[in-house]
């Protein structure tokens, strides 16, 4: 398999964690999102992935865009270890936590949106950072509430085995810390993030461990 | 089943279409997103869904947030008629189209974001509409490219049966038209949207057909 990735992309980070769990040896093809106006906007990459976003997974002659679609594909084609619970209600809970990050937090704070705020709407840096923290705070607070409300929260977001919920959570928390978001009111999230980061699949997927990492 | 819904919410519209396909008789509980500061922010609703967003599906003692998580749950618990293809690559393609809408278009243009632009960033109406059309244009263009590139595009986004891709597409096109987005360069999307809107599950889920519909 090949993964088009950028070390700092949290969507690529999610997929790297899952590939590590599944033990799938994958060639990383770096796509530099900043250099030269963004390699993801070049015609060569747009032929691979018309959205112009990373990640893209290539598995033989199959090419898949969108990190959540990739994660579900990996789960279906390489079911062990399972990253979704066996029961439909449990799967729904895990997907709801994952989608809260994938839909309610990350899309508002990715590079292209922050650039639009700055370049087109001429929003200042302080207001742009405030925007970032606003959506992170709203989304992670909702997840903290979901974790508090449910007896199914365990060592990880859902029970005592890592799931897609944790795989989405760790890269989002990594980003939140980079932008100095306040996580002090989210003890479950902080605890689960720390727990995940003792596990090799999470550790090896971290931005600093990637072939295209920069300081 | 009960669905917390708002007639104009495109995320709720998606779930309504799927419920209609599955033939599931569902009680609609309207949550008015504008009235009285937004009923979705009231403590009673936040106990049901801590994200403060619609839709929420209640199935007996199971409560599910996030439209994509709900759609996957309905597919797992009521597999007929199938709204995902049987093969993993096909499922990945359908989910990639669906997630492009769920992650790359809709989150940037929902009510709370448009309000933040107006109230906090003091963006004017014209620039706010331009923001809306910018993200719709980028996202739907990418989907048009995916449809053009693949031999699997048929009467619908994936083959000749409706899938989750179409169920995400129709509400997004509905919203795009409300904001006068230019769809003239997207003939496949326009064709598939029209095809879907001849089918009763799509027709009955439309905003104007909901119990809480307003002019």
């Amino acid at each position: 398999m090949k993964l088009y990735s950028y070390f700092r992309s949290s969507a690529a980070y999610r997929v790297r964690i899952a590939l590590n769990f599944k033990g799938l040896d994958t060639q990383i093809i770096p796509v530099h999102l900043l250099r030269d106006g963004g390699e993801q906007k070049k015609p060569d990459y747009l032929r691979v992935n018309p959205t112009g976003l990373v990640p893209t997974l290539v598995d033989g002659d199959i090419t898949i865009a969108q990190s959540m679609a990739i994660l579900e594909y990996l789960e279906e084609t390489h079911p062990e270890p399972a990253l979704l619970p066996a029961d439909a209600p449990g799967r729904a809970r895990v997907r709801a936590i994952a989608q809260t990050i994938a839909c309610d937090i990350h899309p508002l704070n990715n590079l292209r949106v922050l650039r639009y705020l700055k370049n087109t709407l001429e929003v200042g840096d302080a207001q742009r950072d405030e925007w970032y923290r606003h959506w992170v705070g709203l989304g992670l607070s909702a997840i903290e509430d979901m974790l508090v409300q449910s007896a199914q929260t365990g060592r990880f977001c859902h029970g005592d085995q890592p799931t897609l919920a944790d795989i989405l959570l760790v890269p989002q928390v990594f980003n939140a810390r980079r932008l100095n978001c306040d996580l002090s009111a989210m003890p479950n999230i902080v605890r689960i993030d720390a727990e995940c980061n003792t596990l090799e699949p999470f550790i090896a997927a971290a931005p600093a461990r990637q072939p295209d990492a920069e300081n």
Side-chain angles (χ1 to χ4, degrees), chain A:
Chain A
M1 293 194 190
K2 295 189 288 191
L3 181 71
Y4 291 86
S5 174
Y6 178 61
F7 74 110
R8 228 173 235 149
S9 156
S10 70
Y13 189 173
R14 300 167 188 164
V15 175
R16 296 193 303 254
I17 299 167
L19 289 166
N20 293 343
F21 268 111
K22 304 290 189 184
L24 297 167
D25 197 24
T26 308
Q27 180 193 352
I28 296 282
I29 305 176
V31 179
H32 202 295
L33 301 190
L34 299 168
R35 189 186 297 151
D36 197 18
E39 293 176 356
Q40 75 281 14
K41 296 178 194 165
K42 305 290 179 196
D44 280 358
Y45 186 70
L46 290 173
R47 270 190 292 274
V48 174
N49 184 335
T51 68
L53 296 166
V54 292
T56 309
L57 184 76
V58 178
D59 182 14
D61 57 357
I62 311 295
T63 300
I64 311 173
Q66 291 293 339
S67 64
M68 285 299 301
I70 295 171
L71 293 170
E72 295 274 0
Y73 173 81
L74 291 174
E75 189 67 7
E76 291 181 352
T77 55
H78 298 83
E80 297 297 331
L83 297 172
L84 282 170
D87 62 308
R91 295 162 75 86
R93 179 169 179 266
V94 166
R95 287 186 177 120
I97 295 172
Q99 294 282 356
T100 297
I101 295 168
C103 294
D104 296 348
I105 305 177
H106 177 253
L108 293 159
N109 289 344
N110 70 6
L111 187 63
R112 61 183 196 156
V113 172
L114 300 178
R115 279 185 164 163
Y116 191 100
L117 289 173
K118 178 171 185 160
N119 298 335
T120 304
L121 297 182
E122 299 179 343
V123 169
D125 287 357
Q127 272 198 308
R128 194 189 47 183
D129 289 353
E130 192 45 50
W131 160 283
Y132 194 105
R133 293 187 197 111
H134 175 77
W135 302 116
V136 169
L138 263 186
L140 290 185
S141 295
I143 290 173
E144 180 71 17
D145 288 346
M146 290 183 197
L147 295 172
V148 169
Q149 280 180 7
S150 171
Q152 294 181 295
T153 304
R155 192 179 150 207
F156 298 101
C157 287
H158 190 86
D160 295 330
Q161 299 297 326
T163 64
L164 295 187
D166 307 290
I167 287 176
L168 276 274
L169 183 66
V170 166
Q172 185 59 62
V173 169
F174 179 90
N175 277 1
R177 290 209 168 99
R178 269 193 78 217
L179 269 283
N180 300 315
C181 299
D182 181 9
L183 304 179
S184 61
M186 305 170 191
N188 282 279
I189 287 174
V190 170
R191 172 183 66 75
I192 290 168
D193 174 69
E195 189 78 53
C196 290
N197 280 313
T198 66
L199 303 179
E200 186 56 28
F202 285 93
I203 294 168
R209 294 277 295 268
Q210 300 313 302
D212 57 333
E214 300 165 9
N215 285 323

